[in-house]
């Protein structure tokens, strides 16, 4: 059996992520709202003026014995931990300078929005979180993540 988890894409009602660097499924706002109303999201949240959702299909993967990996929200984490008390949190960090550079380079936010985002409170990682530092090359963070699954796979 493979040690790598099922990778779950966000469902989002915006297509700013069209550069291909973040896995996602685009839904128009009307369909996103309908999916949220119909209970199609295991988790949903709003961040930076945008909406995100993790589909309930994740439950099928979990019932089949697979680990799943998705990019969640630090501010929605408490709700996720209530739903899944044994949730393993992989907390990705980045230096403030690198974050500023990456946000500016991707061009999705205004300078003012980036400034506000950098000044906003960032919660501390929860107890027992696995910390990955993404301040360097992406390959280094990917290697750290792969090692997490090699060490923690059932």
């Amino acid at each position: 059996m493979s040690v790598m988890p099922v990778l779950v894409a966000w469902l989002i009602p915006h297509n700013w992520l069209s550069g291909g660097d973040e896995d996602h499924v685009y839904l128009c706002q009307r369909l996103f709202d309908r999916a949220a109303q119909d209970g199609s999201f295991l988790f949903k949240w709003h961040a930076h003026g945008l909406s995100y959702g993790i589909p309930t299909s994740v439950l099928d993967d979990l019932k089949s014995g697979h680990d799943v990996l998705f990019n969640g929200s630090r501010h929605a984490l408490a709700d996720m931990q209530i739903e899944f008390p044994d949730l393993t949190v992989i907390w990705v960090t980045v230096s403030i300078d690198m974050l500023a550079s990456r946000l500016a380079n991707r061009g999705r936010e205004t300078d003012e929005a980036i400034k506000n985002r950098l000044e906003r409170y960032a919660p501390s990682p929860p107890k027992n979180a696995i910390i990955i530092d993404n301040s360097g090359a992406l390959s280094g963070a990917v290697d750290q993540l792969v090692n997490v699954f090699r060490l923690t796979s059932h």
Side-chain angles (χ1 to χ4, degrees):
M1 185 163 129
S2 173
V3 299
M4 293 309 295
V6 173
L7 301 177
V8 180
W10 287 326
L11 298 174
I12 55 175
H14 54 85
N15 58 6
W16 283 9
L17 303 178
S18 60
D21 59 346
E22 296 181 57
D23 197 11
H24 68 284
V25 174
Y26 170 74
L27 295 177
C28 69
Q29 187 67 53
R30 182 180 56 81
L31 290 177
F32 184 93
D33 292 344
R34 182 182 298 159
Q37 200 170 43
D38 292 345
S40 296
F41 295 128
L42 182 59
F43 303 115
K44 64 182 183 331
W45 65 92
H46 301 280
H48 317 297
L50 305 172
S51 300
Y52 301 84
I54 300 298
T56 56
S57 60
V58 166
L59 296 173
D60 295 332
D61 293 316
L62 292 171
K63 287 176 188 172
S64 296
H66 299 284
D67 290 329
V68 297
L69 175 67
F70 61 87
N71 189 352
S73 166
R74 294 173 180 194
H75 298 288
L77 181 57
D79 292 336
M80 294 173 183
Q81 290 177 306
I82 289 169
E83 186 74 26
F84 292 94
D86 295 332
L87 180 75
T88 299
V89 176
I90 300 172
W91 192 269
V92 179
T93 64
V94 66
S95 71
I96 195 79
D97 292 335
M98 181 59 74
L99 179 59
S101 173
R102 289 176 180 169
L103 292 172
N105 288 337
R106 73 181 183 184
R108 293 196 306 233
E109 297 167 280
T110 66
D111 289 344
E112 183 68 23
I114 291 172
K115 180 178 178 266
N116 290 339
R117 186 169 177 174
L118 295 173
E119 290 174 351
R120 151 184 119 230
Y121 166 75
S124 299
K127 185 178 177 183
N128 300 326
I130 297 167
I131 310 295
I132 292 182
D133 183 1
N134 188 23
S135 298
L138 178 60
S139 61
V142 169
D143 289 345
Q144 291 176 63
L145 183 61
V146 168
N147 285 332
V148 165
F149 285 98
R150 285 189 180 132
L151 295 172
T152 61
S153 180
H154 324 45

